[in-house]
Amino acid sequence: MTEPTHDEAHSGALGSRLNWLRAAVLGANDGIVSTAGLVVGVAGATDSRSALLTAGLAGLLAGSMSMAAGEYVSVSTQRDSERAALSLEKRELREQPQAELEELTQLLAERGLTRELAREAAEQLTARDALKAHARVELGIDPDELTNPWHAAWASFLAFTVGALLPLLAIVLPPPSWRLAVTVLSVLGALVLTGWSSARLGAAKPGRAVLRNVAGGALAMGVTYVAGVLLGAAGA
């Protein structure tokens, strides 16, 4: 009985790492698209390097802080729910241990074990660590690896910032005549990479994901650029 449990732990850890990687890629993608749309829109209205830098930095800071705050709130809520579920399970184990043993037996039997083997496994898991056994089998929670809202917040902040730096640097570093072309090409190239990465992490074919990613980014830059041109022409 020890080998399946060991394999399952590794599988869960791998799944957790893949989720974090996918979240990082998507966070970087958000930073690329939102900041690119912002600076390209401003570039349509003015060629002032200081205006572009100010707009880009404002978008980077606002976006990264928003992502971090949203992730912190979301993961904090998830962690509170996990703790509440574990607290309830701990009380049930203390007040009605036999009913909980029968419940664990039934859950293991539903996974394909015979009734006798399920009972034996439930007894051994309960003797080793009853709360951990119920948390993993019944709730799908690992009590030793609860989600950390601060880790999630910092990861989102950094991922968005890294993504946002690309269009920001691409729009302010080249000479005025090259800014738009360099920004568009670098952003589209980065979107190819993030689209491919997110598809591979999700075990999906990358072609359609890359196409959607590039099309969405190109549309965002096109719309904001036209808006900037129109506003600039109107003297806004």
Side-chain angles (χ1 to χ4, degrees):
M1 292 301 297
T2 56
E3 290 186 4
T5 304
H6 184 68
D7 291 341
E8 183 178 349
H10 277 282
S11 177
L14 177 60
S16 178
R17 286 195 295 270
L18 288 177
N19 285 336
W20 278 104
L21 286 171
R22 191 177 298 114
V25 169
L26 294 177
N29 193 81
D30 287 342
I32 294 168
V33 174
S34 62
T35 307
L38 178 61
V39 297
V40 167
V42 174
T46 178
D47 61 356
S48 169
R49 188 187 302 269
S50 61
L52 292 169
L53 180 60
T54 300
L57 283 176
L60 185 155
L61 291 174
S64 59
M65 293 300 294
S66 175
M67 288 283 290
E71 196 70 13
Y72 179 83
V73 170
S74 175
V75 175
S76 292
T77 301
Q78 178 184 344
R79 188 181 180 92
D80 291 343
S81 299
E82 291 173 344
R83 284 176 168 171
L86 289 172
S87 178
L88 176 61
E89 195 64 37
K90 186 182 296 184
R91 180 167 62 82
E92 290 177 345
L93 285 168
R94 183 176 63 251
E95 295 177 355
Q96 42 188 348
Q98 290 304 314
E100 290 297 300
L101 178 61
E102 177 60 29
E103 181 181 34
L104 183 58
T105 300
Q106 183 63 31
L107 288 171
L108 292 172
E110 290 174 357
R111 295 190 175 191
L113 298 180
T114 63
R115 173 72 186 184
E116 294 77 13
L117 187 56
R119 183 70 176 192
E120 179 183 352
E123 290 175 348
Q124 291 185 17
L125 290 172
T126 299
R128 179 180 299 175
D129 191 327
L131 179 60
K132 184 178 291 188
H134 280 267
R136 288 178 171 174
V137 177
E138 181 181 348
L139 304 176
I141 298 173
D142 188 343
D144 298 329
E145 296 184 9
L146 296 182
T147 51
N148 188 312
W150 285 109
H151 289 172
W154 276 111
S156 295
F157 179 89
L158 292 174
F160 188 96
T161 299
V162 169
L165 281 173
L166 174 70
L168 176 58
L169 295 176
I171 202 73
V172 299
L173 292 182
S177 60
W178 286 79
R179 284 174 185 165
L180 190 60
V182 170
T183 302
V184 170
L185 291 176
S186 60
V187 165
L188 293 181
L191 292 177
V192 169
L193 178 60
T194 56
W196 181 88
S197 299
S198 62
R200 297 304 299 169
L201 288 170
K205 293 182 178 180
R208 294 178 65 182
V210 169
L211 181 60
R212 287 194 300 265
N213 218 31
V214 171
L219 179 62
M221 289 188 290
V223 169
T224 55
Y225 180 74
V226 170
V229 170
L230 293 176
L231 289 172

